[in-house]
Amino acid sequence: MNVKESMHPRKTTPGGLKEQLHTIVDELRSSMHTSAPRPRLAVIGTGMMGREHIRAVLQLGQATIVGLFDSEPNSIALALREFSTVDATAPRIYNELDELISDARVDAILICTPNFTHRRVFDTIKASGKAIFLEKPMATTLDDAIYLANECLTYPAPILLGMQYRYKSQYQLALKAIANGDIGDVKMLSICEYRPPFLSKVNEWNKFSAYSGGTLVEKCCHYFDLMNRIAGALPARVFATGGRAVNFTQFTFEGRAADIDDHALVIVEYENGVRAQFALNMFSEELLEELIVSGDRGIIRTEETASFKPGKASTANIKVEVPGHDAYDGIDCRFPEDIEMGGHYGSTLFEHRRFLDLLSGAQTDGATCAEGLWAIITAWMAQESMKTGSVVDVRETLSSLELNPYVTALLPVTPPVPAPVPAPAVNNGPIQEAVDK
């Protein structure tokens, strides 16, 4: 699959990156609280991420949440508080998933449950045929990821994967500059994340690889999604090293010892010759993210700093080191505060805008099931390399597992311009376990 030509054409940047940032923000703001008909949403899983999605929907004012389901009463109580805080109408609380599925008011469903429940929740609700937003990672195992990706192919309604990091300000601008050919053909890229440890979640499911899929699947599928998208090709070989050095080394929950990794170094070679590296450190006091993309005409550098501590502002900037480029010396690209408050430094708002575009019939740059699948494949191969200490050949490994995600329908297709296109006018039974994320 040759996507290099469509991904990296040589053209002149239309306007400057600062102007593009203003356009991105203005377009989002102009779409808020319009008089257009509002899709009616139901949320399954009202833990930390579920509540972030609720806040984003309420802030955008482009959809209405009509129902919630979670088996944890405290999570439901916290979710209802989000509505009362902004004087929004409280949604219906379902006692069973069957009630949600049969509610004719519901147009689309958000699955925000713990990673290991995604396949079971999907299988429970798929008979509804309702549109679905599925939080990342789509699954915790290769089998489940390929199963879900195949199910997406014949599903009668839109499905969007939750990959909101694509919509952070610096990454939206970097993807636009790369797609526009500002740095020429991509040759190599590097991403790093330094951040504090995993936060506490219901039943501490994110401290155990069996429930989360492992750190590189759970936390880092965002970055492998970005790497795959920028490389414009499939991963060929992966090598990784890492493990547990500091976090949760003595942690137990209900007699079970945590086994989640807290650091990793990953190298990926792509089938088109692009090389990439990723560094993760989860025992840092503050948060730092950096992306460097090297092309045959120049380099893009982005950096974000943030803090989990109150009162500390985030920063975001981007440089395009190409002579004459308007961002050669760097520009501040942090979203305005009212956008940042939408979750994950504003990216969650843009993710929901993509979902609503998809519901209206528009083409978007939202993450597809195929892209979600290949993010997991890349992450899984890195974890396998950490386990074996060897370079992992992706095709050979998938073949040995009797898995074939190389059918055309399961291959990600990278659009030439990462921006939404306006639309024309227009059964496993109830899950009675914790579904809190």
Side-chain angles (χ1 to χ4, degrees):
M1 180 181 182
N2 184 4
V3 297
K4 182 173 72 174
E5 318 268 330
S6 62
M7 186 61 186
H8 311 304
R10 295 181 183 272
K11 17 177 156 166
T12 303
T13 303
L17 287 187
K18 198 69 174 179
E19 179 183 334
Q20 291 185 29
L21 178 64
H22 291 320
T23 299
I24 288 168
V25 171
D26 290 345
E27 287 178 350
L28 181 71
R29 283 177 171 159
S30 67
S31 70
M32 291 181 174
H33 298 281
T34 64
S35 59
R38 297 183 178 186
R40 296 162 298 184
L41 312 178
V43 180
I44 303 176
T46 57
M48 187 177 295
M49 279 308 303
R51 295 194 297 274
E52 179 172 313
H53 288 299
I54 289 170
R55 290 191 294 273
V57 172
L58 293 174
Q59 183 177 346
L60 282 173
Q62 300 170 345
T64 302
I65 297 175
V66 298
L68 305 176
F69 175 80
D70 196 303
S71 61
E72 289 285 335
N74 186 57
S75 294
I76 289 290
L78 291 171
L80 289 174
R81 191 180 300 170
E82 303 291 349
F83 294 86
S84 62
T85 298
V86 295
D87 294 323
T89 302
R92 175 183 175 183
I93 307 303
Y94 304 103
N95 294 315
E96 307 282 350
L97 274 181
D98 287 343
E99 297 174 8
L100 183 156
I101 294 167
S102 61
D103 189 343
R105 300 176 305 152
V106 176
D107 299 311
I109 299 171
L110 277 62
I111 300 176
C112 307
T113 60
N115 305 350
F116 67 98
T117 68
H118 286 177
R119 175 172 175 170
R120 281 178 287 166
V121 173
F122 176 86
D123 282 342
T124 301
I125 69 173
K126 68 181 180 181
S128 73
K130 299 179 188 292
I132 292 173
F133 174 96
L134 177 58
E135 249 299 341
K136 67 84 192 166
M138 64 192 297
T140 57
T141 67
L142 291 181
D143 284 334
D144 284 356
I146 292 176
Y147 167 82
L148 288 169
N150 275 308
E151 286 290 306
C152 291
L153 299 179
T154 56
Y155 195 72
I159 298 178
L160 184 76
L161 267 291
M163 292 287 191
Q164 74 263 52
Y165 279 28
R166 290 181 173 204
Y167 316 117
K168 287 190 173 187
S169 58
Q170 69 271 25
Y171 298 145
Q172 287 199 56
L173 294 177
L175 289 170
K176 285 178 179 291
I178 293 165
N180 192 65
D182 289 11
I183 61 169
D185 294 336
V186 171
K187 300 301 181 183
M188 63 181 292
L189 65 131
S190 173
I191 301 178
C192 73
E193 182 189 36
Y194 290 78
R195 56 156 288 162
F198 280 120
L199 301 176
S200 180
K201 296 196 175 183
V202 168
N203 294 329
E204 302 296 345
W205 64 265
N206 60 341
K207 311 305 187 301
F208 303 94
S209 295
Y211 301 137
S212 71
T215 297
L216 296 185
V217 169
E218 148 59 17
K219 178 67 190 74
C220 305
C221 61
H222 282 301
Y223 300 109
F224 294 118
D225 171 57
L226 281 168
M227 286 169 63
N228 293 347
R229 189 172 178 81
I230 292 168
L234 301 178
R237 300 200 311 157
V238 181
F239 176 74
T241 181
R244 281 195 303 157
V246 177
N247 298 341
F248 310 114
T249 57
Q250 305 300 316
F251 181 87
T252 62
F253 182 77
E254 295 183 345
R256 184 172 183 173
D259 65 349
I260 207 75
D261 296 323
D262 60 15
H263 69 285
L265 298 171
V266 182
I267 295 174
V268 182
E269 292 182 353
Y270 285 89
E271 292 187 345
N272 63 353
V274 171
R275 291 177 171 83
Q277 64 177 3
F278 171 67
L280 173 71
N281 177 303
M282 294 193 67
F283 42 90
S284 299
E285 237 355 84
E286 306 291 349
L287 188 145
L288 167 69
E289 276 185 33
E290 185 178 58
L291 166 71
I292 303 175
V293 185
S294 302
D296 56 11
R297 295 177 59 199
I299 290 177
I300 289 175
R301 303 174 186 266
T302 76
E303 182 181 275
E304 176 188 80
T305 65
S307 178
F308 289 170
K309 299 178 175 66
K312 299 191 72 171
S314 68
T315 68
N317 59 73
I318 181 170
K319 289 184 177 183
V320 183
E321 295 181 3
V322 174
H325 200 283
D326 71 294
Y328 187 90
D329 293 320
I331 62 171
D332 176 3
C333 62
R334 177 190 173 197
F335 283 137
E337 188 173 345
D338 63 309
I339 302 297
E340 270 206 343
M341 67 184 288
H344 279 78
Y345 310 102
S347 62
T348 303
L349 293 177
F350 290 93
E351 181 175 56
H352 277 275
R353 180 63 259 174
R354 266 61 171 188
F355 187 48
L356 294 168
D357 286 340
L358 201 61
L359 294 180
S360 71
Q363 294 180 342
T364 82
D365 62 341
T368 66
C369 294
E371 289 172 316
L373 167 63
W374 280 94
I376 289 178
I377 289 173
T378 311
W380 189 94
M381 295 296 164
Q383 290 185 167
E384 182 69 7
S385 178
M386 285 171 59
K387 186 189 308 179
T388 64
S390 302
V391 174
V392 174
D393 183 287
V394 177
R395 286 183 180 266
E396 287 181 3
T397 302
L398 289 169
S399 178
S400 71
L401 296 171
E402 299 183 345
L403 299 173
N404 181 21
Y406 291 97
V407 295
T408 301
L410 296 183
L411 299 179
V413 177
T414 305
V417 179
V421 177
V426 277
N427 191 358
N428 285 335
I431 295 175
Q432 294 302 321
E433 58 187 290
V435 291
D436 188 77
K437 190 156 181 167

